[in-house]
Amino acid sequence: MNTTESLTRLERLQLGLVEMQKAAIESGKRMILVLEGRDGAGKDGTIKRLTEHLSSRATRVVALPKPTERERSQWYFQRYVQHLPAAGELVIFNRSWYNRAGVEVVMDFSTRDEQAEFLRDAPDFERMLVESGIGLLKVWLDITKEEQHKRLKSRRTNPLKSLKVSDMDAVAQDRWADYSAARDTMLLRTHTPLAPWFCVRADDKPVARKAIMKHVLNHFADPGIARTAKRPDPDILFPFEAAAITDGRLAP
């Protein structure tokens, strides 16, 4: 058995990502992966698996803190524009401009007018990104209320996870319905043909991570590289459609 044959499924996917990045560096391709989801949905772990063997010089993970006073006076998208990829780069947004459609809505961190303006402008902003030649992939990680409770409890009780604890954890469960409503509005208003949303049922972390890795390869990689990864199970990862809100595919 040769080395390639002995690789685990995860390693095969990671090898595919390495080949994808080699090709992107050679061609100058620019790629953005937007990862959104509830608190505890598994974004950090997904990013760790995705980037484990990628070049640190061609891969950037962007997780911005709350805006400064100066940034609050700027055009909302301005602080994100400076992090867009150059030739050969993959930029992963661990949360993104969609903060304005999620936590800011639930916690009243912005005004209703600002939130309405965002929902109107985000599709145009993303259209400009795509039309400029940037590859854009938007993924929503969805978990059940019970699974979130378990994961947030683990953060509080496991000292190795203490750095993941945030002030938002305290209200994630209490405001579950509000977050669901914000999610639904966000997906319905910003899912477009040029920049569609893909949803992942992420209660099973390893399964969800592998599904996302497969989808990244199928979305960004050249056909010769992408064909090494089967398309993800549609019961786990699927393109958003309004019916998913009510048919059980997205947690209520």
Side-chain angles (χ1 to χ4, degrees), residues 229-243:
K230 295 180 180 179
R231 293 191 177 276
D233 183 344
D235 288 334
I236 302 299
L237 188 151
F238 54 90
F240 171 73
E241 57 181 343

Side-chain angles (χ1 to χ4, degrees), residues 7 9 46 53 113 117 172 180 195:
L7 294 175
R9 291 182 182 178
T46 297
H53 299 289
D113 286 344
E117 182 180 6
S180 292

Side-chain angles (χ1 to χ4, degrees), residues 6-218:
S6 67
L7 294 175
T8 66
R9 291 182 182 178
L10 176 61
E11 289 169 334
R12 287 177 185 273
L13 291 171
Q14 290 174 326
L15 179 59
L17 292 169
V18 169
E19 295 301 319
M20 178 194 80
Q21 187 166 65
K22 286 180 181 178
I25 292 171
E26 184 175 341
S27 67
K29 190 171 186 175
R30 296 170 293 160
M31 300 168 286
I32 294 174
L33 172 61
V34 169
L35 286 179
E36 292 287 341
R38 297 181 188 268
D39 292 322
K43 296 179 292 298
D44 291 341
T46 297
I47 291 170
K48 182 177 180 180
R49 294 293 177 268
L50 278 167
T51 62
E52 191 170 4
H53 299 289
L54 298 184
S55 166
S56 58
R57 289 176 292 181
T59 309
R60 288 186 287 117
V61 178
V62 179
L64 299 182
K66 67 180 182 179
T68 64
E69 286 297 327
R70 183 173 185 275
E71 288 172 331
R72 278 196 284 268
S73 73
Q74 297 173 342
W75 176 50
Y76 177 71
F77 294 99
Q78 189 168 336
R79 70 195 297 248
Y80 297 99
V81 168
Q82 61 185 313
H83 297 286
L84 297 180
E89 290 184 344
L90 167 66
V91 173
I92 302 174
F93 283 96
N94 183 355
R95 296 196 182 275
S96 64
W97 44 91
Y98 282 102
N99 276 335
R100 178 138 293 178
V103 65
E104 291 191 20
V105 171
V106 175
M107 302 304 296
D108 291 323
F109 289 160
S110 55
T111 68
R112 296 301 180 190
D113 286 344
E114 288 172 330
Q115 294 157 16
E117 182 180 6
F118 170 82
L119 291 172
R120 184 191 69 223
D121 292 348
D124 287 332
F125 174 66
E126 292 168 358
R127 174 184 55 78
M128 288 187 285
L129 295 180
V130 174
E131 290 180 348
S132 77
I134 294 176
L136 175 62
L137 175 58
K138 303 188 302 187
V139 177
W140 171 266
L141 282 75
D142 205 64
I143 54 175
T144 61
K145 188 175 184 179
E146 295 73 22
E147 180 64 20
Q148 185 190 63
H149 173 76
K150 182 171 66 175
R151 294 183 187 181
L152 296 182
K153 181 179 180 181
S154 176
R155 287 182 182 180
R156 296 191 302 271
T157 58
N158 185 342
L160 291 176
K161 297 181 179 181
S162 60
L163 290 174
K164 291 188 174 184
V165 176
S166 74
D167 294 339
M168 295 299 102
D169 291 355
V171 297
Q173 289 271 290
D174 291 341
R175 305 293 295 272
W176 178 270
D178 295 331
Y179 275 109
S180 292
R183 174 203 63 192
D184 297 347
T185 299
M186 179 193 78
L187 294 173
L188 287 166
R189 293 287 302 277
T190 62
H191 176 74
T192 66
L194 278 179
W197 278 103
F198 292 87
C199 302
V200 182
R201 303 176 73 176
D203 275 11
D204 187 322
K205 287 183 181 181
V207 170
R209 290 169 184 166
K210 289 173 186 174
I212 293 170
M213 294 167 77
K214 289 178 183 178
H215 192 55
V216 168
L217 283 168
N218 279 283

